[in-house]
């Protein structure tokens, strides 16, 4: 039986492919995670032995850094464990969302299964336990994780993660939060036995009350409870009901915990997530909307007017640019209709200047976060797969490389665009039939047109095309309808 650590000591390539550098995590139930260098991306193989002694940024100059989740050798012959790894790869293979981090490859070496994942040098949100204090940072965390969960729960059938906790939320290079570790995730419909005494089916402190019952089908509401427990721990330093989680909440009547110093809206949100009855918990989508609105419960849609005080110098600077005056002329301006702010942001984004583009994007992103659908679409248009000169120029100014088909070469911009298009689809606002039609059509393109980022998924692509067709008919967009019909004809 091979010893994984020997590969790091001797420098021998794991599976003739990966240079193991150092362990990243060794406290998982069945696997260890290693930092590794993909030798196939290294031009100068003679420098491979230098890699373990170099800082991450210098290793990246040699080749691609990845994280490898390796099944522990003592379990190598465990068929159930091997299947668990295979399922983890397959269950999220076609899930593409900014707030999900899933394996990019699965293989078996010397009877040892392993998964290859993107490397997040910032680590997990475990390092934030007891340190997440500012409301704006808390809302950012809620929005990112809830958005990832909403995507999973909206799949057909829904994907239930089953192990949401601080350690399974990673922080990417631009400080977005992404859910990972789908080793025990389940597509709703499978039956499970006792969760309580299965070491591979979750972490007790984050397990909802219903998960301690027999023969309970995995449900999305259990992820919401775990998310509530995660939030409480990040804010206070302690899990809400001790190490026995939902069992202690119900069976031992442990009272609902408080988080001193936290705003009432965030406190209410956490308590709603931790409701003993699954039917009383909010959905992930409701949490994501609450985070964007920075209130819970969301009482009503905020008026489509945004004051200068809310967006501060972003709007002041944008107005000065737009009006051709000084910032002093607009500092005392009254509330400005969102449509006017949108036009200001759009004008700045379409200037041939990176500083203007970035200022416009900040304003557009603020409008997007307020669920103004045209703004969401413009952000997707910036990052997405378009041959339009305006989109291409924005990418050029932002340093986003595109291929011969005008698609970004990196998966990050594409994932951002897909997440934004998905958000438009989820908001389902009939006031913007034309945008809904175009957003769902663009989603379909990612899964039916050949590209280097997304694997073909014709079932998903057809579903998006049919939805796009409904919106295009409502919008009276005959040009788009013609393109949609051609796409649907290719499935026949």
């Amino acid at each position: 039986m091979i010893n994984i650590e020997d590969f790091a000591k001797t420098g021998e390539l794991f599976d003739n492919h990966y240079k193991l550098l150092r362990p990243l995590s060794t406290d998982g139930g069945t696997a260890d995670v290693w930092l590794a260098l993909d030798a196939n991306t290294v031009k100068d193989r003679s420098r491979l032995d230098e890699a373990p002694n170099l800082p991450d940024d210098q290793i990246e100059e040699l080749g691609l850094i990845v994280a490898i989740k390796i099944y522990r050798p003592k379990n190598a012959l465990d068929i159930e464990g091997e299947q668990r790894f295979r399922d983890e790869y397959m269950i999220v293979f076609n899930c593409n969302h900014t707030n999900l981090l899933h394996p990019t490859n699965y293989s078996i070496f010397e009877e040892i299964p392993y998964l290859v994942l993107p490397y997040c040098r910032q680590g997990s949100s475990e390092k934030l336990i007891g340190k997440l204090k500012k409301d704006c940072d808390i809302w950012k965390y809620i929005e990112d994780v809830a958005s990832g969960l909403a995507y999973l729960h909206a799949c057909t059938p829904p994907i239930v993660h089953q192990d949401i906790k601080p350690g399974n939320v990673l922080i990417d290079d631009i400080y977005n939060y992404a859910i990972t570790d789908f080793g025990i995730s389940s597509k709703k419909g499978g039956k499970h036995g006792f969760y309580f005494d299965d070491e591979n089916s979750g972490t007790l402190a984050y397990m909802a009350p219903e998960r301690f019952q027999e023969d309970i089908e995995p449900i999305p509401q259990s992820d919401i409870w775990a998310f509530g427990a995660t939030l409480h721990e990040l804010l206070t330093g302690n899990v809400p009901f001790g190490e026995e989680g939902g069992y202690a909440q119900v069976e031992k009547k442990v009272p609902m915990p408080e988080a001193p110093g936290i705003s009432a809206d965030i406190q209410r949100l956490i308590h709603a997530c931790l409701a003993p009855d699954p039917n009383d918990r909010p959905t992930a989508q409701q949490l994501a909307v609450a985070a964007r609105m920075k209130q819970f419960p969301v009482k009503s849609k905020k008026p489509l007017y945004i004051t200068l005080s809310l967006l501060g110098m972003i709007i002041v600077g944008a107005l000065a640019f737009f009006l051709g005056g000084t910032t002093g002329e607009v500092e005392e301006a009254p509330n400005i209709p969102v449509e006017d702010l949108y036009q200001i942001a759009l004008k700045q984004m379409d200037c041939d200047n990176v500083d203007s583009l970035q200022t416009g994007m900040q304003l557009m992103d603020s409008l997007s976060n307020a669920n103004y659908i045209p703004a969401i679409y413009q952000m997707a248009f910036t990052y997405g797969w378009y041959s339009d000169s305006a989109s291409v120029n924005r990418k050029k100014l932002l340093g986003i490389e595109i291929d011969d088909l005008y698609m970004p070469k990196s998966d990050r911009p594409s994932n951002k665009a897909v997440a934004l298009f998905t958000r438009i689809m989820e908001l389902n606002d009939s006031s913007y039939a034309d945008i809904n039609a175009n957003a769902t059509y663009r989603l379909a393109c990612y899964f039916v047109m050949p590209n280097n980022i997304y694997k073909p998924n014709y079932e998903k692509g057809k579903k998006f095309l049919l939805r796009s067709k409904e919106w295009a008919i409502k919008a009276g967009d005959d040009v788009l309808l013609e393109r949609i019909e051609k796409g649907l004809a290719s499935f026949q």
Side-chain angles (χ1 to χ4, degrees):
M1 185 177 295
I2 64 173
N3 186 336
I4 302 300
E5 292 185 357
D6 286 345
F7 285 89
K9 292 176 182 177
T10 64
E12 181 184 355
L13 295 181
F14 180 76
D15 200 7
N16 297 313
H17 194 156
Y18 300 101
K19 176 84 171 180
L20 299 185
L21 304 177
R22 64 175 185 270
L24 295 174
S25 173
T26 57
D27 57 0
T30 58
D32 297 324
V33 182
W34 283 76
L35 180 68
L37 179 62
D38 185 340
N40 288 350
T41 67
V42 177
K43 292 181 180 179
D44 186 359
R45 289 287 189 110
S46 66
R47 298 191 62 193
L48 275 174
D49 290 337
E50 297 178 29
N53 301 315
L54 297 174
D56 290 353
D57 57 345
Q58 292 184 33
I59 299 174
E60 285 183 319
E61 294 176 4
L62 299 179
L64 179 66
I65 302 179
V66 296
I68 302 186
K69 184 176 179 180
I70 305 174
Y71 197 62
R72 288 180 181 154
K74 65 182 178 65
N75 298 318
L77 300 179
D78 185 340
I79 297 175
E80 181 181 351
E82 180 181 321
Q83 185 61 44
R84 186 183 298 277
F85 260 52
R86 186 178 289 109
D87 288 346
E88 179 173 359
Y89 180 58
M90 294 176 63
I91 204 165
V92 290
F93 180 77
N94 288 311
C95 291
N96 298 288
H97 192 280
T98 302
N99 303 116
L100 300 177
L101 189 82
H102 54 79
T104 59
N105 189 32
Y106 164 79
S107 191
I108 299 176
F109 173 58
E110 298 288 344
E111 299 186 274
I112 298 177
Y114 69 90
L115 295 164
V116 181
L117 304 101
Y119 170 52
C120 292
R121 69 176 70 233
Q122 304 298 335
S124 77
S125 63
E126 273 188 321
K127 71 180 186 181
L128 301 177
I129 291 176
K131 300 176 183 177
L132 203 61
K133 299 297 183 184
K134 294 181 180 179
D135 279 6
C136 59
D137 295 334
I138 299 168
W139 286 121
K140 163 68 174 171
Y141 188 89
I142 293 171
E143 180 177 0
D144 282 6
V145 179
S147 296
L149 284 175
Y151 181 96
L152 292 173
H153 295 169
C155 289
T156 307
I159 296 174
V160 184
H161 185 278
Q162 299 199 105
D163 199 18
I164 295 296
K165 59 184 179 181
N168 284 341
V169 177
L170 299 184
I171 308 169
D172 72 15
D173 291 344
I174 54 176
Y175 288 87
N176 289 319
Y177 299 101
I179 300 168
T180 191
D181 199 349
F182 295 85
I184 60 168
S185 298
S186 172
K187 290 191 175 181
K188 192 171 181 294
K191 291 288 185 180
H192 289 252
F194 281 98
Y195 290 108
F196 185 82
D197 50 20
D198 181 356
E199 67 168 338
N200 295 321
S201 57
T203 308
L204 294 180
Y206 308 93
M207 290 168 69
E210 64 273 8
R211 292 195 60 191
F212 292 87
Q213 302 173 22
E214 288 188 63
D215 297 323
I216 297 299
E217 181 179 325
I219 56 175
Q221 293 95 319
S222 297
D223 283 346
I224 301 301
W225 195 98
F227 185 37
T230 294
L231 286 171
H232 183 81
E233 184 179 21
L234 291 177
L235 304 187
T236 67
N238 301 302
V239 288
F241 300 103
E243 296 304 316
E244 293 181 297
Y247 177 84
Q249 179 188 24
V250 174
E251 298 299 327
K252 297 185 178 181
K253 309 297 182 185
V254 177
M256 195 70 76
E258 298 297 328
I262 302 304
S263 73
D265 282 292
I266 293 173
Q267 185 73 83
R268 284 193 294 269
L269 183 147
I270 293 174
H271 283 182
C273 291
L274 294 173
D277 186 340
N279 295 319
D280 292 336
R281 298 170 201 156
T283 66
Q285 180 59 29
Q286 288 170 337
L287 293 176
V289 171
R292 293 179 198 125
M293 304 294 281
K294 294 181 172 53
Q295 62 174 219
F296 185 86
V298 177
K299 300 174 183 64
S300 62
K301 287 188 177 181
K302 287 186 177 179
L304 291 181
Y305 288 86
I306 299 180
T307 64
L308 292 179
S309 60
L310 287 176
L311 296 180
M313 293 308 296
I314 296 174
I315 296 179
V316 172
L319 282 172
F321 172 88
F322 182 69
L323 299 175
T326 65
T327 56
E329 294 175 6
V330 295
E331 284 176 351
E332 301 301 323
N335 290 0
I336 302 170
V338 71
E339 294 86 354
D340 292 348
L341 292 176
Y342 171 76
Q343 290 300 327
I344 293 167
L346 193 59
K347 183 173 181 179
Q348 285 204 288
M349 289 176 69
D350 286 334
C351 282
D352 222 358
N353 176 285
V354 67
D355 292 333
S356 173
L357 170 61
Q358 290 176 341
T359 300
M361 286 183 67
Q362 289 180 65
L363 177 52
M364 194 68 81
D365 190 47
S366 297
L367 298 173
S368 170
N369 288 335
N371 283 340
Y372 185 56
I373 288 176
I376 301 174
Y377 188 80
Q378 280 301 321
M379 295 299 289
F381 178 76
T382 300
Y383 294 115
W385 188 6
Y386 286 88
S387 60
D388 301 56
S389 59
S391 180
V392 171
N393 189 56
R394 291 178 193 176
K395 292 181 184 66
K396 179 180 178 182
L397 290 173
L398 293 170
I400 298 173
E401 292 187 74
I402 58 176
D403 60 24
D404 294 338
L405 297 175
Y406 301 99
M407 186 174 193
K409 291 183 179 180
S410 167
D411 61 351
R412 184 164 292 163
S414 294
N415 287 341
K416 283 184 179 180
V418 167
L420 290 162
F421 287 135
T422 302
R423 211 169 110 204
I424 292 172
M425 186 176 69
E426 291 170 347
L427 288 170
N428 200 40
D429 191 332
S430 58
S431 304
Y432 299 100
D434 56 334
I435 293 178
N436 293 337
N438 278 282
T440 46
Y441 176 76
R442 289 288 163 177
L443 276 175
C445 290
Y446 283 97
F447 299 104
V448 299
M449 295 178 64
N451 63 83
N452 295 321
I453 304 294
Y454 295 96
K455 298 289 185 182
N457 187 328
Y458 298 112
E459 182 180 350
K460 182 179 287 189
K462 185 177 181 180
K463 180 183 75 173
F464 288 143
L465 282 175
L466 289 171
R467 195 159 181 179
S468 179
K469 181 179 179 180
E470 293 174 6
W471 283 116
I473 291 171
K474 291 179 181 178
D477 190 337
D478 294 333
V479 175
L480 181 58
L481 269 172
E482 185 177 348
R483 282 192 284 171
I484 293 169
E485 292 294 357
K486 286 181 179 178
L488 290 172
S490 67
F491 292 103
Q492 298 175 357

